[in-house]
Amino acid sequence: MMMLKKVHIYAMLCFVMLCWGLNVTATKLLVTSFAPVTITAFRILAAALCVFAILSLSKQVRMLTKREFVYVLLGSLLNVVAHHYFLSIGLSRTSAVNGGLIIGTGPLLTTIFALLFLGSKLTLLKSAGIILGFSGVSLIVLVSNGGMSGVSIGDLYVFLAMAVQAASFILIKRMSATLDPRLMTGYMLLLGSVFLFMISLIVEPQGLATLTQGSVSMWVIFFASACIATGVGHMMYNYAIGLVGTVESAIFINLSPFFALIGSAVFLGEQILLVQIVGFVLIIAGVLCGSGALEERIRSLRRSAGRVEKVTQKAS
């Protein structure tokens, strides 16, 4: 029963990664068609309303306790406000391909924060994974942009967006013990949209005026991004964190860059360079080693081999 449940969770995470990968392309289109922070604030608000609508149908909406509100506020500032602010600004200043690949560092950053705050142990394989992963990011950021002189500030913003999101996953894991992650997601998105809108009024005084310039197709992309990728996607992912843990859920994020590459090539016509593919491979290798997934697989094979050996010895 537990295995069947895990299969469902893993299938759900794969769907979320498909949505998030394609959402890199959608977000790139939105932040280059409208004022980046302003459209992000409204996209997050639409996502929050979508989440609360879904939860209302199952009567799961309730008021937060004071302690829960504090955690949700902190989670919102990291997971929504800081993450989406840096992501929207970053994607407006770099390619969707680069942005999608850098997003793949999420599991490595989550592992680092787990080492710092959750008491996880740093092994030789995890150390190698962290080095491999960041080597891949460096290759993408430095070589594909022509060295240090060509480093895109957009790439750095996207990386910072993933760092603050990884930190927020630690809070989400701790909150999930007393608060349904799906309800937590709704409140985080709602609070985050308010903060982002206030920020947009300061950094983009003419931002609201740009909302009148969008085509019908662009608003279809807006609602798909808000409701499916941001609303339902974050609700599903935070729910998975509460069930299978921070690091195990983060492993699936390395599927997101793959879908982002496909989306960028198909819908934006962006060229995929050999150096970006090599960087992607390094990031995937780093995630598998650094997140502990490879170590767990090795331990599982050893346990299976041990059981087979015992059965063989008994039979002889």
Side-chain angles (χ1 to χ4, degrees):
M1 182 66 179
M2 179 58 69
M3 181 57 67
L4 182 62
K5 192 173 185 180
K6 276 204 168 186
V7 169
H8 289 160
I9 295 170
Y10 293 159
M12 179 177 69
L13 284 169
C14 288
F15 171 74
V16 172
M17 291 311 115
L18 171 64
C19 294
W20 284 4
L22 296 179
N23 193 47
V24 173
T25 302
T27 303
K28 173 69 176 178
L29 289 169
L30 291 172
V31 298
T32 51
S33 300
F34 304 99
V37 183
T38 303
I39 194 64
T40 299
F42 280 94
R43 181 169 62 85
I44 300 303
L45 175 60
L49 296 177
C50 176
V51 170
F52 276 112
I54 294 172
L55 294 177
S56 295
L57 294 176
S58 55
K59 297 181 180 180
Q60 292 179 300
V61 178
R62 65 170 177 83
M63 298 297 292
L64 299 174
T65 65
K66 289 182 179 179
R67 181 177 178 276
E68 288 171 342
F69 179 79
V70 171
Y71 273 101
V72 167
L73 178 61
L74 291 173
S76 179
L77 291 174
L78 289 173
N79 189 276
V80 180
V81 181
H83 171 68
H84 285 284
Y85 174 81
F86 289 126
L87 187 62
S88 63
I89 297 297
L91 286 176
S92 68
R93 301 182 185 184
T94 189
S95 68
V97 170
N98 268 24
L101 291 173
I102 295 170
I103 285 172
T105 61
L108 286 178
L109 294 168
T110 301
T111 299
I112 292 172
F113 281 108
L115 290 168
L116 294 174
F117 300 109
L118 295 182
S120 297
K121 293 182 179 180
L122 181 63
T123 64
L124 184 61
L125 202 56
K126 285 184 179 180
S127 300
I130 292 171
I131 293 171
L132 280 172
F134 286 115
S135 296
V137 174
S138 300
L139 197 64
I140 292 166
V141 173
L142 297 177
V143 180
S144 65
N145 287 309
M148 285 297 295
S149 61
V151 172
S152 167
I153 187 66
D155 291 337
L156 299 179
Y157 275 132
V158 174
F159 182 79
L160 192 55
M162 296 314 298
V164 294
Q165 186 185 54
S168 75
F169 290 155
I170 307 301
L171 281 174
I172 290 170
K173 176 58 182 174
R174 290 182 173 178
M175 282 189 289
S176 64
T178 58
L179 178 63
D180 188 314
R182 292 164 294 188
L183 180 61
M184 174 181 59
T185 301
Y187 277 115
M188 284 171 55
L189 291 172
L190 184 61
L191 287 173
S193 67
V194 174
F195 283 116
L196 282 170
F197 180 67
M198 290 191 292
I199 292 172
S200 73
L201 294 177
I202 299 171
V203 300
E204 298 170 350
Q206 305 301 319
L208 289 174
T210 66
L211 300 182
T212 61
Q213 302 170 4
S215 62
V216 174
S217 61
M218 200 57 62
W219 284 108
V220 171
I221 293 172
F222 169 86
F223 284 107
S225 171
C227 297
I228 300 174
T230 305
V232 175
H234 278 81
M235 186 169 63
M236 286 182 171
Y237 187 79
N238 292 342
Y239 179 64
I241 289 177
L243 292 177
V244 299
T246 304
V247 174
E248 192 169 350
S249 299
I251 292 170
F252 283 82
I253 292 182
N254 61 90
L255 288 175
S256 178
F258 173 72
F259 293 124
L261 279 176
I262 295 174
S264 302
V266 173
F267 298 109
L268 298 179
E270 292 186 357
Q271 185 180 3
I272 300 173
L273 305 175
L274 178 61
V275 67
Q276 292 170 324
I277 296 174
V278 174
F280 173 62
V281 172
L282 287 174
I283 290 173
I284 294 298
V287 166
L288 292 175
C289 296
S291 65
L294 185 57
E295 287 180 325
E296 180 58 36
R297 180 58 178 166
I298 292 172
R299 284 194 293 267
S300 177
L301 290 173
R302 285 176 177 173
R303 286 194 295 266
S304 298
R307 286 194 293 266
V308 170
E309 186 177 348
K310 287 181 180 179
V311 171
T312 305
Q313 289 174 351
K314 287 182 180 179
S316 60

